Amino acid sequence: MNITEERKRDHIEVSLKEDVSSNKNYWNYIELEHNALPEINEEEIDLSTKLFNKKLGAPIIIAGITGGYSSAKYINENLAAAAEKFQIGMGVGSQRAALENPKLKETYSVINSYDIPLKIANIGASQIALWNKKKILENAKKIVEMIDADILAVCLNFLQEIVQPEGEAHAKGCLEAIKILSKEFKKPVIIKESGAGISGKVAETLLSKTNIAGIDVGGAGGTSFSAVEYYRAKMKNDKLNMRVGQTFWDWGIPTPKCIQEVRKVTKKELPIIATGGIKNGLDAAKALALGANAAGIAHSLLESATKYKQQTIFELTSLETYGS
Ligand SMILES: Cc1cc2nc3c(=O)[nH]c(=O)nc-3n(C[C@H](O)[C@H](O)[C@H](O)COP(=O)(O)O)c2cc1C
């Protein structure tokens, strides 16, 4: 197992074993006004929506979580079964591992056996910042073909890269790489954060300099990668990195704030996915009310996805219907 595979395994194991969530649940601060006179019957409510020209059964995306080590195949398969059942979108975790070791492709491509209306490929911005134009476009083609993806997400995860000891925070050149990819690649490219959030200012820069097709704001309030790295450091008795993880545990822009800021600077039609701390259908409804087009869920589905397909489907049913 190489370093990337080990890290992928650790992220899953730590996220399952420890409480890696932010100390703050920002969704609790948002209150939707009750409508005592809805004038619509429950059975008439249609959750279906269109996102990136694909019809989804509900405005929900299973956010990119894993791939790149052996057990990830099982997790991705269970998530894919749930995505098929509800006809919702699904992302995979960073596909860098399969670029480094093609034997790991099937830990991602397992989702191709399922009928998923919107599949999202994934690569870290720190990686593409290091590649030349030819390599950016070649590798983008490889990872999109791997899962027959409809769109490609570039993950801006510099907080994560900084807090993990083996992280690679190659931030310089990132904007240019996104520009090349979004202008020259044949599939739509979106930008995603992984828990620290995208501000209105960053969205404005991306929109004025690149051709991105959407933004997953990936805000704070849910899974904290600083927390994940705190526990990874603790396993190694690495006191310095434990301190770093603790310091940045709750760092980031709250997801509800990201949605509002990003919506302000984007045109109405630019899709916004709201990932970060979504734990139930009510949180998702709040995200939509604030201006998002869909809500993304990662950690709340992880435990069930390590069990069985039926468990994952049940979890998604109860999240959508009743909340956690
Ligand atoms: C174990 C784990 C691994 C993740 N790996 C990736 C990844 O490789 N690429 C990525 O863009 N996001 C990754 N994420 C971030 C999620 O897509 C999501 O943005 C984040 O977990 C916040 O959502 P949540 O609060 O519902 O967990 C990962 C999340 C978890 C829990």
Short mmCIF file of all heavy atoms in Angstrom, two decimals, residues 8 11-12 15 20 63-66 92-95 122-123 153-155 157 160 192-195 216 218-219 221-223 225 228 275-279 296-300 302, ligand 1:
data_model
loop_
_atom_site.label_atom_id
_atom_site.label_comp_id
_atom_site.label_asym_id
_atom_site.label_seq_id
_atom_site.Cartn_x
_atom_site.Cartn_y
_atom_site.Cartn_z
N LYS A 8 -5.95 7.41 2.31
CA LYS A 8 -7.37 7.22 1.97
C LYS A 8 -8.03 6.29 2.99
O LYS A 8 -9.14 6.53 3.45
CB LYS A 8 -7.50 6.58 0.57
CG LYS A 8 -7.03 7.44 -0.56
CD LYS A 8 -8.10 8.41 -0.96
CE LYS A 8 -7.50 9.76 -1.21
NZ LYS A 8 -8.43 10.85 -1.29
N HIS A 11 -8.39 8.08 6.40
CA HIS A 11 -9.48 9.07 6.42
C HIS A 11 -10.82 8.39 6.71
O HIS A 11 -11.62 8.91 7.49
CB HIS A 11 -9.55 9.83 5.08
CG HIS A 11 -8.47 10.86 4.95
ND1 HIS A 11 -8.15 11.43 3.75
CD2 HIS A 11 -7.63 11.41 5.86
CE1 HIS A 11 -7.16 12.31 3.94
NE2 HIS A 11 -6.85 12.30 5.20
N ILE A 12 -11.04 7.27 6.08
CA ILE A 12 -12.31 6.56 6.30
C ILE A 12 -12.34 6.01 7.73
O ILE A 12 -13.31 6.21 8.47
CB ILE A 12 -12.48 5.40 5.28
CG1 ILE A 12 -12.60 5.94 3.86
CG2 ILE A 12 -13.68 4.52 5.65
CD1 ILE A 12 -13.88 6.68 3.56
N SER A 15 -12.70 8.74 10.33
CA SER A 15 -14.03 9.38 10.25
C SER A 15 -15.11 8.49 10.85
O SER A 15 -16.13 8.98 11.33
CB SER A 15 -14.41 9.68 8.81
OG SER A 15 -13.48 10.55 8.24
N VAL A 20 -15.43 13.53 14.10
CA VAL A 20 -14.61 14.48 13.33
C VAL A 20 -15.44 15.65 12.82
O VAL A 20 -15.05 16.33 11.88
CB VAL A 20 -13.90 13.77 12.15
CG1 VAL A 20 -12.88 12.77 12.65
CG2 VAL A 20 -14.90 13.09 11.22
N ALA A 63 -21.83 13.44 -1.87
CA ALA A 63 -20.55 14.14 -2.13
C ALA A 63 -19.40 13.14 -2.23
O ALA A 63 -19.46 12.05 -1.64
CB ALA A 63 -20.30 15.13 -1.00
N GLY A 64 -18.37 13.51 -2.95
CA GLY A 64 -17.21 12.64 -3.14
C GLY A 64 -16.57 12.27 -1.81
O GLY A 64 -16.24 13.16 -1.02
N ILE A 65 -16.42 10.99 -1.56
CA ILE A 65 -15.83 10.55 -0.31
C ILE A 65 -14.57 9.71 -0.53
O ILE A 65 -13.52 9.98 0.03
CB ILE A 65 -16.84 9.73 0.55
CG1 ILE A 65 -18.08 10.56 0.87
CG2 ILE A 65 -16.17 9.24 1.84
CD1 ILE A 65 -19.16 9.80 1.64
N THR A 66 -14.71 8.67 -1.37
CA THR A 66 -13.58 7.74 -1.35
C THR A 66 -13.29 7.08 -2.69
O THR A 66 -13.88 7.39 -3.70
CB THR A 66 -13.78 6.71 -0.21
OG1 THR A 66 -12.54 6.07 0.07
CG2 THR A 66 -14.84 5.68 -0.55
N VAL A 92 -17.19 10.83 -6.54
CA VAL A 92 -16.24 9.91 -5.90
C VAL A 92 -15.14 10.76 -5.26
O VAL A 92 -15.06 11.96 -5.52
CB VAL A 92 -15.62 8.92 -6.93
CG1 VAL A 92 -16.66 7.94 -7.44
CG2 VAL A 92 -14.93 9.67 -8.07
N GLY A 93 -14.30 10.13 -4.44
CA GLY A 93 -13.18 10.85 -3.85
C GLY A 93 -12.11 11.12 -4.89
O GLY A 93 -12.22 10.67 -6.05
N SER A 94 -11.08 11.85 -4.49
CA SER A 94 -10.00 12.20 -5.42
C SER A 94 -9.48 10.95 -6.14
O SER A 94 -9.20 9.93 -5.51
CB SER A 94 -8.84 12.84 -4.65
OG SER A 94 -7.69 12.84 -5.47
N GLN A 95 -9.37 11.05 -7.47
CA GLN A 95 -8.97 9.90 -8.28
C GLN A 95 -7.46 9.84 -8.52
O GLN A 95 -6.98 9.04 -9.32
CB GLN A 95 -9.76 9.90 -9.59
CG GLN A 95 -11.23 9.59 -9.37
CD GLN A 95 -12.10 9.90 -10.56
OE1 GLN A 95 -12.72 10.96 -10.62
NE2 GLN A 95 -12.16 9.01 -11.55
N ASN A 122 -13.36 13.52 -9.71
CA ASN A 122 -12.76 14.38 -8.69
C ASN A 122 -11.24 14.35 -8.72
O ASN A 122 -10.63 13.28 -8.80
CB ASN A 122 -13.26 13.90 -7.31
CG ASN A 122 -12.85 14.82 -6.17
OD1 ASN A 122 -11.67 15.03 -5.93
ND2 ASN A 122 -13.83 15.36 -5.47
N ILE A 123 -10.65 15.54 -8.66
CA ILE A 123 -9.19 15.65 -8.55
C ILE A 123 -8.84 16.88 -7.70
O ILE A 123 -9.57 17.88 -7.73
CB ILE A 123 -8.50 15.71 -9.95
CG1 ILE A 123 -7.00 15.51 -9.86
CG2 ILE A 123 -8.84 17.01 -10.68
CD1 ILE A 123 -6.55 14.11 -9.57
N ALA A 153 -15.09 17.60 -10.87
CA ALA A 153 -14.90 18.54 -9.75
C ALA A 153 -13.43 18.68 -9.42
O ALA A 153 -12.72 17.68 -9.28
CB ALA A 153 -15.66 18.05 -8.52
N VAL A 154 -12.97 19.93 -9.32
CA VAL A 154 -11.61 20.19 -8.85
C VAL A 154 -11.74 20.66 -7.41
O VAL A 154 -12.46 21.62 -7.12
CB VAL A 154 -10.92 21.28 -9.70
CG1 VAL A 154 -9.55 21.61 -9.12
CG2 VAL A 154 -10.79 20.83 -11.15
N CYS A 155 -11.08 19.92 -6.51
CA CYS A 155 -11.25 20.22 -5.09
C CYS A 155 -10.18 21.18 -4.58
O CYS A 155 -8.98 20.90 -4.65
CB CYS A 155 -11.22 18.91 -4.31
SG CYS A 155 -11.56 19.17 -2.57
N ASN A 157 -8.61 22.24 -1.56
CA ASN A 157 -8.58 21.72 -0.17
C ASN A 157 -7.28 22.10 0.52
O ASN A 157 -6.61 21.25 1.11
CB ASN A 157 -8.78 20.20 -0.16
CG ASN A 157 -7.72 19.49 -0.96
OD1 ASN A 157 -6.99 20.11 -1.72
ND2 ASN A 157 -7.60 18.19 -0.77
N GLN A 160 -6.87 21.38 4.24
CA GLN A 160 -6.60 19.95 4.44
C GLN A 160 -5.14 19.61 4.11
O GLN A 160 -4.46 18.90 4.85
CB GLN A 160 -7.55 19.16 3.55
CG GLN A 160 -7.50 17.67 3.74
CD GLN A 160 -8.38 16.94 2.73
OE1 GLN A 160 -9.23 17.56 2.07
NE2 GLN A 160 -8.20 15.66 2.61
N LYS A 192 -14.91 22.75 -6.03
CA LYS A 192 -15.47 22.24 -4.78
C LYS A 192 -14.49 22.49 -3.65
O LYS A 192 -13.28 22.40 -3.85
CB LYS A 192 -15.68 20.74 -5.01
CG LYS A 192 -15.90 19.90 -3.80
CD LYS A 192 -16.07 18.44 -4.18
CE LYS A 192 -16.67 17.65 -3.03
NZ LYS A 192 -15.91 17.74 -1.78
N GLU A 193 -15.00 22.83 -2.49
CA GLU A 193 -14.15 22.86 -1.28
C GLU A 193 -14.46 21.60 -0.49
O GLU A 193 -15.42 20.89 -0.79
CB GLU A 193 -14.47 24.11 -0.43
CG GLU A 193 -13.30 25.07 -0.24
CD GLU A 193 -12.21 24.61 0.73
OE1 GLU A 193 -12.37 23.56 1.36
OE2 GLU A 193 -11.19 25.32 0.86
N SER A 194 -13.64 21.32 0.52
CA SER A 194 -13.89 20.08 1.26
C SER A 194 -14.11 20.37 2.75
O SER A 194 -13.77 19.56 3.60
CB SER A 194 -12.75 19.10 1.05
OG SER A 194 -11.55 19.66 1.54
N GLY A 195 -14.66 21.54 3.07
CA GLY A 195 -15.01 21.80 4.46
C GLY A 195 -14.59 23.17 5.00
O GLY A 195 -14.93 23.51 6.12
N ASP A 216 -19.43 23.85 -5.78
CA ASP A 216 -19.86 23.18 -4.54
C ASP A 216 -19.15 23.92 -3.42
O ASP A 216 -17.93 23.82 -3.28
CB ASP A 216 -19.47 21.70 -4.56
CG ASP A 216 -19.89 20.97 -3.29
OD1 ASP A 216 -20.11 21.66 -2.25
OD2 ASP A 216 -20.00 19.75 -3.31
N GLY A 218 -18.82 23.61 -0.28
CA GLY A 218 -18.06 22.80 0.70
C GLY A 218 -17.68 23.57 1.96
O GLY A 218 -16.51 23.65 2.32
N GLY A 219 -18.68 24.08 2.66
CA GLY A 219 -18.40 24.96 3.79
C GLY A 219 -18.17 24.27 5.12
O GLY A 219 -18.25 23.04 5.24
N GLY A 221 -18.83 23.37 9.17
CA GLY A 221 -20.00 23.01 9.96
C GLY A 221 -20.29 21.52 9.91
O GLY A 221 -21.14 21.01 10.63
N GLY A 222 -19.56 20.82 9.04
CA GLY A 222 -19.74 19.36 8.96
C GLY A 222 -18.42 18.68 9.25
O GLY A 222 -17.73 19.02 10.23
N THR A 223 -18.03 17.75 8.38
CA THR A 223 -16.76 17.06 8.57
C THR A 223 -15.61 18.07 8.58
O THR A 223 -15.52 18.92 7.70
CB THR A 223 -16.51 16.05 7.42
OG1 THR A 223 -17.60 15.13 7.42
CG2 THR A 223 -15.21 15.30 7.61
N PHE A 225 -11.65 18.33 8.33
CA PHE A 225 -10.42 17.58 8.03
C PHE A 225 -9.31 17.90 9.02
O PHE A 225 -8.39 17.10 9.20
CB PHE A 225 -9.99 17.77 6.57
CG PHE A 225 -10.55 16.68 5.72
CD1 PHE A 225 -11.75 16.86 5.05
CD2 PHE A 225 -9.94 15.45 5.65
CE1 PHE A 225 -12.32 15.83 4.32
CE2 PHE A 225 -10.48 14.42 4.92
CZ PHE A 225 -11.68 14.61 4.25
N VAL A 228 -9.93 15.30 11.49
CA VAL A 228 -9.43 14.00 10.98
C VAL A 228 -7.92 13.93 11.18
O VAL A 228 -7.38 12.94 11.68
CB VAL A 228 -9.80 13.82 9.47
CG1 VAL A 228 -9.15 12.55 8.91
CG2 VAL A 228 -11.31 13.78 9.27
N THR A 275 -22.55 21.62 0.18
CA THR A 275 -22.06 20.50 0.98
C THR A 275 -21.43 21.08 2.24
O THR A 275 -20.82 22.15 2.20
CB THR A 275 -21.01 19.69 0.19
OG1 THR A 275 -21.59 19.28 -1.04
CG2 THR A 275 -20.58 18.44 0.94
N GLY A 276 -21.54 20.34 3.34
CA GLY A 276 -20.92 20.78 4.59
C GLY A 276 -21.94 20.80 5.71
O GLY A 276 -22.67 21.78 5.88
N GLY A 277 -22.01 19.68 6.45
CA GLY A 277 -22.86 19.63 7.63
C GLY A 277 -24.31 19.30 7.38
O GLY A 277 -25.13 19.39 8.30
N ILE A 278 -24.66 18.91 6.15
CA ILE A 278 -26.07 18.56 5.87
C ILE A 278 -26.37 17.21 6.52
O ILE A 278 -25.75 16.20 6.18
CB ILE A 278 -26.34 18.50 4.34
CG1 ILE A 278 -26.00 19.82 3.66
CG2 ILE A 278 -27.77 18.03 4.06
CD1 ILE A 278 -27.05 20.88 3.68
N LYS A 279 -27.30 17.22 7.46
CA LYS A 279 -27.58 15.98 8.20
C LYS A 279 -28.99 15.46 7.98
O LYS A 279 -29.31 14.35 8.40
CB LYS A 279 -27.35 16.21 9.70
CG LYS A 279 -25.89 16.46 10.02
CD LYS A 279 -25.58 16.26 11.48
CE LYS A 279 -24.09 16.24 11.73
NZ LYS A 279 -23.39 17.42 11.21
N GLY A 296 -25.31 18.61 -0.79
CA GLY A 296 -24.39 17.47 -0.84
C GLY A 296 -24.22 16.85 0.53
O GLY A 296 -24.13 17.57 1.54
N ILE A 297 -24.19 15.53 0.56
CA ILE A 297 -24.06 14.82 1.85
C ILE A 297 -22.88 13.85 1.77
O ILE A 297 -22.79 13.07 0.83
CB ILE A 297 -25.33 14.00 2.16
CG1 ILE A 297 -26.58 14.87 2.05
CG2 ILE A 297 -25.24 13.35 3.54
CD1 ILE A 297 -27.88 14.08 2.18
N ALA A 298 -22.01 13.90 2.77
CA ALA A 298 -20.90 12.93 2.79
C ALA A 298 -20.98 12.10 4.08
O ALA A 298 -21.49 10.98 4.08
CB ALA A 298 -19.56 13.65 2.68
N HIS A 299 -20.52 12.66 5.18
CA HIS A 299 -20.32 11.86 6.39
C HIS A 299 -21.57 11.14 6.89
O HIS A 299 -21.49 10.01 7.38
CB HIS A 299 -19.76 12.75 7.51
CG HIS A 299 -19.20 11.97 8.65
ND1 HIS A 299 -19.98 11.54 9.69
CD2 HIS A 299 -17.96 11.48 8.87
CE1 HIS A 299 -19.23 10.83 10.52
NE2 HIS A 299 -18.00 10.78 10.04
N SER A 300 -22.73 11.77 6.75
CA SER A 300 -23.95 11.14 7.27
C SER A 300 -24.27 9.82 6.58
O SER A 300 -25.07 9.04 7.09
CB SER A 300 -25.15 12.08 7.10
OG SER A 300 -24.95 13.21 7.90
N LEU A 302 -21.69 7.76 5.45
CA LEU A 302 -20.48 6.93 5.44
C LEU A 302 -20.63 5.62 6.20
O LEU A 302 -20.30 4.55 5.70
CB LEU A 302 -19.29 7.75 5.97
CG LEU A 302 -17.94 7.05 5.96
CD1 LEU A 302 -17.58 6.55 4.57
CD2 LEU A 302 -16.86 7.99 6.48
C1 LIG B 1 -13.71 10.27 4.67
C2 LIG B 1 -13.90 11.43 3.74
C3 LIG B 1 -13.09 11.55 2.62
C4 LIG B 1 -13.26 12.63 1.73
N1 LIG B 1 -12.50 12.69 0.61
C5 LIG B 1 -12.72 13.68 -0.31
C6 LIG B 1 -12.00 13.71 -1.54
O1 LIG B 1 -11.17 12.85 -1.82
N2 LIG B 1 -12.26 14.74 -2.40
C7 LIG B 1 -13.18 15.71 -2.11
O2 LIG B 1 -13.40 16.60 -2.92
N3 LIG B 1 -13.86 15.71 -0.94
C8 LIG B 1 -13.65 14.72 -0.04
N4 LIG B 1 -14.37 14.70 1.13
C9 LIG B 1 -15.18 15.88 1.49
C10 LIG B 1 -16.68 15.70 1.21
O3 LIG B 1 -16.95 15.63 -0.17
C11 LIG B 1 -17.48 16.86 1.82
O4 LIG B 1 -17.13 18.05 1.16
C12 LIG B 1 -17.23 17.05 3.31
O5 LIG B 1 -17.13 15.81 3.97
C13 LIG B 1 -18.34 17.85 3.98
O6 LIG B 1 -19.56 17.16 3.93
P1 LIG B 1 -20.20 16.46 5.24
O7 LIG B 1 -20.22 17.50 6.30
O8 LIG B 1 -21.55 15.99 4.80
O9 LIG B 1 -19.29 15.30 5.60
C14 LIG B 1 -14.24 13.61 2.00
C15 LIG B 1 -15.07 13.46 3.13
C16 LIG B 1 -14.90 12.40 4.00
C17 LIG B 1 -15.82 12.28 5.19
#
